[in-house]
Amino acid sequence: MIGFNQMKVCPECKSAYFEDFEEGDRCPRCYFLEEKEIKLFKVTEVLRRRLLKKWIGKKSLKEILNDARKAFEDGEYDKAKKLFTYTYQKGYKTATSLFYLGEVAYVQRLYKDALGFYKKSVQVYPKKTLYMDKLLYHTGRSFMKLGKKELAVLTFKKLIKEYPTSLYVKFAKKDLEKLK
């Protein structure tokens, strides 16, 4: 008969497990879930929410968005992507979250995905924003990388016309020369 003295309590999830499992101080369930790397298709919804809440903590959405921006600036693109996705799903600054999701895809050279995020960002908030010139430039560059020269030319011309004082105009003009 198995006694209770052969059981341990996992410090992470507080569940009980038998001492036979010899992979450190964690239970089998926590051992197989990589740290902050949640395989959503293998985890129940309740556990997924619990783990996300534990990871994100009790921060406000504004703090989470700031953390996501910092992660992006530090080159932690996977973390940034998760946090921007979270703020987007919660409906907090959706256009900004979508823009940065596009930036993550752009940096990772996933140009088709970047275009989708940029398009959604403009659809959510079509007014001029602080990042619209960068969005247009990266949209044009994405079209270039995908071989859609006509769309790239149109995007660069729109950038030059609507944001003549932008820093990206100089780069857009150089790219237009390359396309001719």
Side-chain angles (χ1 to χ4, degrees):
M1 183 171 177
I2 298 173
F4 288 109
N5 58 348
Q6 295 176 324
M7 298 196 70
K8 287 185 177 178
V9 175
C10 177
E12 289 183 32
C13 69
K14 307 296 185 221
S15 65
Y17 67 98
F18 292 107
E19 289 180 336
D20 302 0
F21 189 74
E22 298 176 356
E23 297 297 335
D25 292 331
R26 298 174 359 172
C27 70
R29 182 174 58 182
C30 291
Y31 177 77
F32 292 112
L33 283 176
E34 292 292 323
E35 199 171 54
K36 295 181 186 172
E37 186 72 24
I38 302 165
K39 308 269 188 230
L40 295 178
F41 58 93
K42 291 184 179 179
V43 178
T44 65
E45 183 67 19
V46 173
L47 182 59
R48 184 183 72 81
R49 286 184 186 166
R50 191 178 310 145
L51 290 169
L52 278 174
K53 190 171 186 177
K54 180 180 175 185
W55 179 46
I56 293 171
K58 303 223 185 272
K59 293 184 177 184
S60 69
L61 290 170
K62 182 179 180 180
E63 291 172 320
I64 294 169
L65 187 66
N66 289 336
D67 288 350
R69 284 183 179 143
K70 184 173 180 350
F72 178 78
E73 291 166 5
D74 293 344
E76 298 177 45
Y77 301 120
D78 291 334
K79 180 179 179 182
K81 183 178 179 179
K82 288 177 185 176
L83 293 173
F84 285 125
T85 301
Y86 181 79
T87 57
Y88 168 70
Q89 289 172 342
K90 291 294 182 181
Y92 182 74
K93 298 214 176 192
T94 53
T96 303
S97 297
L98 287 166
F99 166 71
Y100 276 106
L101 285 168
E103 288 294 283
V104 169
Y106 180 82
V107 169
Q108 294 177 334
R109 298 181 181 183
L110 302 170
Y111 301 113
K112 192 173 181 181
D113 293 344
L115 288 171
F117 286 121
Y118 293 148
K119 182 179 178 182
K120 284 182 187 176
S121 177
V122 172
Q123 287 173 341
V124 169
Y125 195 80
K127 298 177 184 176
K128 291 185 179 184
T129 60
L130 294 173
Y131 55 79
M132 190 62 78
D133 55 343
K134 187 175 187 177
L135 183 146
L136 285 171
Y137 179 67
H138 284 173
T139 299
R141 292 285 299 171
S142 296
F143 281 135
M144 274 180 65
K145 297 290 185 178
L146 293 172
K148 298 181 179 184
K149 293 180 181 180
E150 302 83 24
L151 293 172
V153 169
L154 288 172
T155 306
F156 289 139
K157 286 182 178 179
K158 182 175 180 172
L159 169 63
I160 293 166
K161 180 182 174 188
E162 292 186 16
Y163 301 92
T165 59
S166 169
L167 299 172
Y168 294 99
V169 168
K170 175 174 78 172
F171 302 117
K173 286 180 180 178
K174 285 182 184 178
D175 287 336
L176 276 173
E177 289 298 318
K178 288 179 190 175
L179 291 170
K180 289 183 181 180

